Structures are given as C-alpha cells and as structure tokens.
C-alpha cells in the first residue's frame, strides 16, 4: 500500500540511477580553512625558529617532521576527536622512530629490514579497524622508516622526544579553541541541518527538491556523527550540552517532516519554509534567527501531512522544554573481516620489504623515500587506491618543481623558514580539499627538512622516480592479489543499507517515536555509507570482462522506500508500505 502523496500526478519523478556523489558533494558549501592554514604555518615554522635560536637545528628539524605529520591529521572534527587522533599520532610515530633508530644504530641490515617488516605487519593489522587505529599504524610505520633511514647524532632518546614535541605543538594549536568555544564544531554541524532543511523546503515541488533533501540528509548524517559522543541518556551527558542535544533531537524530527514534504512533491507557503530558521533561533539563539522569523507562522496546509508536522514542531518546542531523552546510536560498522585484515597486513609488509630492497639497490644509504611512499600510498581505507597513487605522483612532481624554484630564490636561513611556513599552510589546506595539494606541500617541506638534517644530495629527479616506483609497486601488488577488495566492500555495504531500509519499513508503522527515529537514522546513514563505498569502487580500475553491478539502482530504490515510509508515517496511515 502506498501513501496518498505517492499517487499525486505532479510529483517529480526520481532518477533510476543516482547522480549523488558528484552533484551533491560538488555543491556542498565550503571555504578555505584559514585557521588550519595558520596553524600549519606556525607549527612548522616555530620549531625551526627555536632551532635557529638555540643551535639545535637537527632536533628542531625532527620536531618539524612531527609537526608536519600532526598537520596532516589536524582535521575539523570535535576537539575530543582531534586530541585522540593527534595523541595517538604522536605516540605511535615516536615509538616507530625509536624502533627504527635502534635498528639503524645496530649496524645490521637485517635488523633494519626486520624492523620495517614488523612495523608494516602491525600497521596493516590495525589499519582497517577504524580511523584512529589506521592513522596510528601508518605513523608507526612512517616513524620506523625515518628512524631507520636517517642517522641522527646524539643520545637515542632525543629524536623521539623531539618528534613527539612537534606533534604536541599541533595538538595544542588545534585544541586550544576548546577553552573559549568548547562545542563550536557540534553547534555548527547541528545548525547546518536546520539551514539545509530550510533549503529543502524552499525547493519543495521543484526538480531541485530531491537534491536538496539529499543535502539535508548528508548534513544530518554529519551532525549525528559529530554529536554521537553527546547522545547518552541525560544522566551521563557532558555538562553544558543539554541545549545542543535538544536541538539535535529536534533536527532529527525536522528531517522526518521535511522528507515527508519533499515526498509529497508540492510547494508549501513561504512561511512554512521559515520553520527551520525559526526553530534554530529558538533552540540555539543568536545564530540563524532574524527578526522576520519571529512573528507567528501561517496556518499549516490542511491536506499536507508534512506541513502539519512542521507546524507541530514549532508548538512542541514550547510544550516539551526538555525535548526527547533518547540515545540515537550510529549503526555499528565492523569493517572488513579477519581474512581481509590479514591479507592487507601481508601485502603492506611485502610492499614495504620490496621497496626497502629496491632502495638499498638504488640509493644505499638513506633509501627511506621508497618505503615511506608505500606507507603513505597503500591506505585503501582512506579512499580509492588508484587515484591516491596518481595524486601522490602529481603532488610530488609539482612539489619538487616548486621547492626547486623557491629554493633558488630563498638565500637566507630565515627565508627558508618562511618557505616552510608557506608550504605548511598549503598542506593544511590540501588535507581538507585534495590529496595532491597536500602531497605538494608535504614534499616541499620534507625537502627543506632533510637538507637541515644533512642530506644535501641533488635528489629532485630521484624522488620523483622513487615516488612513481613505489606507487607502481603498490598498485601492481594490490590489484594482482586483491583486485576485488573495493567491490566486495561496496557490495557488503549496499546489502547492509538495503536491509536497514527494509527494517525501517517493517517496524516503522508500529514503532514509537524513539524507535522510529532510530530506525530511520540508521537506514539513511547506512545508505549514505553505501553510496560512498560504491563511489570508491567505481574509481578503481575494473577487471576486464567483469563490470561492477548496478548498486546505485538498489540504493536509490532503498532511499525511495525510506522516503515513502516516512511520508506514510507522518501522514498517520496504519498500513505498512510494501
């Protein structure tokens, strides 16, 4: 049985194939991360300035390497997440540097190779177990690569402490705003839901309505992820988050009403399109509310269930001062199974060992660039592997050309520090916008730091070749042994998302508000994850004669089912959707 809105002749048709990844993601609002760029510049320049003032140039360069790796992990997440990720980055990279340094000082080539392989096995073993574990494993391997490839004079304990200090500097710079705007990231994410909901209501009844609804769903997914740590029952919440949690719960209810309106496929009075701004102004004052949003809203459209639900939300804000006391958990993501994790660990270790042997043949000593590039490139959990390798090569080529041109003009020591600051800021921007841009900044900074560490060889062309060799090595090994990894992940995620949509369909008609919202959030979140993994798989080289299935149609059908169920429930119908 379908809802009444489903039979309207003027309802816009939905595409059978989804254009979601490009059209929606390509239009999401964004701006240059000036604060992150400033942090990158300061974090890289400050250790070098301290080194120039104290004469400890080698240790300051090691600290700058730590800051460089910290900048690569300085995201726009909530401060608690930043502290965890940067903390583990510093600890794992310092431990790796210590292990590599001990292996190098032993004077045994087998000790260096064994240390690299052991670190690669550990990194691969934890690399598919979540973001923080993956980052920790990668930086453990990077620390071993640098420690076993660059001899540093002085006591063995100084370089790890200097590296840790560099990461700690980034952590302090990144988390310091917590002192005066503690929940700024969470608040911005929740406000983005209200803003995108208003845009979806304004587009209701037009061809742009479905795209606007998808943007609202993406914003709600992001807010859910950001707010996940604060959604415990009232007695276990962090102090000062009550209003924010309440605003998020109303955002979830708003998303349900807006989805019903979009499903009806007709325009609403402009006053109802102001409901999201009105609610945001009441729940989170001082941000989106304007004087024209404050007057009484017009009467709801009598034959529009979604319109009635919007009007009821305005009343509910006053009638329910505490909001819902519910815990909306994100669906668990177990990730790849044990067999996949073992295969990845073995492949990563094999690639690192092959890169090390190749570096010994071509460049001994100081052949760290090849295994270091393998550690950066072979991260299938960070996105499509083939574009990542390609962007690594392009970024290295442009970075080498840029630092070569700039180095010819920068003659003074302080001018070199300025160059590092500029490329550090560029890397911080690239971390958020494009991997090739991040690689460009990293490559340029690394060349300067390695020169300060005493590696004065003319290596511009050599490093480009090394990067290409390491990238080819990773691609050949991965697609020869594990060509279907992205496809298997996409298939599993699609099946899980379709199952979540069906659970929502079957349980929603009889479920209470709390269970219904949880089922709907889980379904839409898993559908978004499925689209992401499918887009990932589409960007990898396909096996000849074995085209990938049409997962997008299944995901689109599941999204339509969720929209239909939502419209049906909001309309108050008793029969389930089939």
């Amino acid at each position: 049985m379908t809802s009444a809105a489903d039979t309207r002749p003027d309802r816009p048709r939905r595409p059978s194939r989804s254009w979601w990844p490009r059209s929606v993601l390509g239009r999401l609002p964004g701006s240059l991360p000036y604060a992150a760029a400033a942090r990158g510049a300061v974090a890289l320049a400050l250790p070098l300035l301290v080194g120039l003032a104290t004469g400890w140039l080698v240790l300051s360069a090691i600290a700058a390497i730590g800051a460089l790796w910290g900048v690569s992990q300085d995201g726009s997440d909530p401060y608690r997440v930043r502290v965890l990720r940067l903390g583990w980055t510093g600890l794992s990279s310092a431990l790796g540097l210590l292990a590599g340094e001990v292996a190098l000082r032993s004077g045994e080539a087998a000790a260096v190779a064994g240390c690299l392989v052991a670190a690669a096995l550990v990194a691969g073993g934890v690399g598919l177990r979540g973001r923080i574990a993956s980052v920790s494993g990668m930086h453990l391997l990077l620390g071993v690569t640098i420690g076993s490839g660059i001899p540093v004079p002085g006591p063995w304990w100084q370089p790890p402490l200097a590296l840790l200090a560099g990461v700690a500097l980034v952590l302090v710079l990144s988390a310091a705003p917590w002192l005066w705007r503690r929940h700024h990231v969470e608040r911005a994410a929740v406000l983005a839901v209200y803003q995108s909901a208003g845009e979806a209501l304004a587009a209701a009844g037009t061809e742009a309505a479905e795209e606007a609804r998808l943007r609202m769903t993406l914003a709600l997914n992001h807010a859910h992820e950001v707010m996940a740590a604060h959604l415990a029952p009232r007695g276990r919440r962090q102090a000062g988050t009550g209003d924010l949690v309440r605003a998020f719960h109303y955002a979830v209810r708003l998303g349900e009403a807006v989805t019903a309106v979009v499903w009806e496929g007709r325009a609403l009075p402009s006053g109802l399109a102001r409901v999201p701004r009105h609610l945001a102004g009441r729940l989170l004052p001082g941000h989106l509310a304007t004087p024209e949003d404050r007057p009484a809203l017009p009467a709801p459209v009598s034959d529009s269930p979604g319109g009635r639900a919007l009007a009821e939300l305005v009343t509910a804000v006053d009638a329910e001062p505490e909001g819902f006391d519910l815990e909306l958990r994100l669906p668990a993501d177990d990730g790849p199974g044990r067999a996949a994790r073992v295969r990845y660990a073995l492949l990563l270790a094999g690639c690192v060992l092959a890169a090390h042997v190749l570096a010994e043949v071509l460049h001994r000593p100081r052949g760290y660039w090849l295994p270091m590039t393998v550690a950066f490139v072979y991260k299938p959990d960070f996105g499509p592997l083939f574009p990542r390798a390609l962007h690594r090569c392009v970024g290295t080529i442009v970075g080498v050309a840029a630092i070569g041109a700039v180095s010819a003009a920068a003659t003074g020591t302080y001018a070199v520090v300025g160059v590092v600051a500029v490329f550090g800021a560029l890397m911080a921007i690239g971390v958020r916008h494009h991997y090739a841009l991040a690689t460009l900044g990293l490559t340029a900074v690394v060349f300067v730091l390695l020169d300060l560490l005493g590696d004065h060889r003319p290596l511009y062309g050599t490093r480009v070749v090394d990067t290409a060799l390491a990238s080819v090595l990773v691609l050949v090994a991965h697609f020869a042994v594990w060509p279907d990894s992205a496809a298997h992940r996409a298939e599993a995620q699609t099946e899980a998302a379709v199952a979540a949509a069906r659970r929502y369909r079957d349980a929603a008609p009889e479920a209470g508000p709390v269970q219904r919202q949880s089922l709907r959030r889980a379904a839409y979140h898993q559908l978004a994850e499925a689209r992401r993994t499918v887009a990932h798989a589409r960007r990898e080289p396909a096996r000849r004669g074995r085209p990938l299935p049409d997962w997008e149609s299944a995901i689109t059908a599941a999204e339509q089912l969720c929209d239909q169920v939502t419209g049906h429930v909001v309309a108050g119908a008793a029969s389930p959707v089939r």
Side-chain angles (χ1 to χ4, degrees), residues 306-327:
R308 290 198 302 270
L310 287 171
E312 290 169 1
L313 275 178
V314 178
T315 304
V317 169
D318 294 325
E320 300 174 10
E322 295 299 325
F324 273 114
D325 187 22
L326 65 123
E327 187 174 4

Side-chain angles (χ1 to χ4, degrees), residues 57-104:
L57 276 179
V58 172
L59 289 178
S60 71
I62 295 290
I65 291 177
L68 184 71
W69 290 347
V71 169
S72 73
Q73 300 303 321
D74 178 25
S76 54
D77 316 88
Y79 298 115
R80 174 178 174 274
V81 177
R82 296 188 205 182
V83 170
L84 285 174
R85 188 171 60 245
L86 287 169
W88 279 107
T89 295
L91 291 174
S92 59
S93 58
L95 179 62
L97 182 67
L98 176 60
E101 187 183 12
V102 170
L104 181 64

Side-chain angles (χ1 to χ4, degrees), residues 160-328:
L161 286 181
L163 189 77
L164 187 60
V167 180
L169 173 61
V170 178
L171 190 154
V172 170
L173 293 173
S174 181
W178 176 86
L179 296 172
W180 61 87
R181 53 176 195 176
R182 183 166 301 184
H183 302 299
H184 168 76
V185 175
E186 293 91 333
R187 185 179 294 268
V190 174
L191 285 170
V193 179
Y194 287 94
Q195 181 178 1
S196 60
E199 294 170 355
L201 289 175
T206 70
E207 294 182 356
E210 176 63 8
E211 181 181 345
R213 200 278 300 163
L214 284 169
R215 286 201 299 269
M216 181 195 68
T217 301
L218 286 177
L220 194 48
N221 286 339
H222 176 64
H224 197 172
E225 292 171 354
V226 168
M227 289 292 298
H230 306 291
L231 298 180
R234 188 176 296 117
R236 293 190 282 119
R237 289 178 193 160
Q238 295 183 19
T241 62
D243 290 343
L244 198 55
V245 170
R246 181 173 178 240
F248 172 75
H249 287 319
Y250 275 105
V252 173
R253 297 169 65 182
L254 176 64
E256 183 179 60
V258 172
T259 300
V261 169
V262 172
W263 183 256
E264 291 170 15
R266 56 177 169 176
L268 292 178
S270 59
L272 284 176
R274 297 205 312 268
V275 165
R277 290 181 63 88
H278 182 89
L279 292 175
R282 296 288 298 277
L283 295 165
L284 296 170
H287 291 274
L288 288 179
T290 58
E292 58 268 23
D293 293 321
R294 292 296 184 176
L297 296 167
V301 181
S302 59
D303 61 345
S304 169
R308 290 198 302 270
L310 287 171
E312 290 169 1
L313 275 178
V314 178
T315 304
V317 169
D318 294 325
E320 300 174 10
E322 295 299 325
F324 273 114
D325 187 22
L326 65 123
E327 187 174 4
L328 288 174

Side-chain angles (χ1 to χ4, degrees), residues 17-23 25 380 382-387 486-487 489-491 493-494 527-541 548-552 555:
R17 287 287 298 242
S18 174
W19 33 258
W20 179 89
R22 179 172 298 179
S23 65
L25 290 183
F382 281 12
L385 191 60
F386 182 78
R489 179 68 169 160
E491 182 176 13
Q493 286 280 27
T494 301
L527 285 165
E529 282 297 299
R531 286 207 179 274
R532 183 185 63 81
T533 55
V534 168
H536 178 157
R538 295 286 182 204
R539 294 177 66 192
E540 299 285 26
L548 297 178
D550 185 12
W551 294 304
E552 290 89 348
I555 296 171

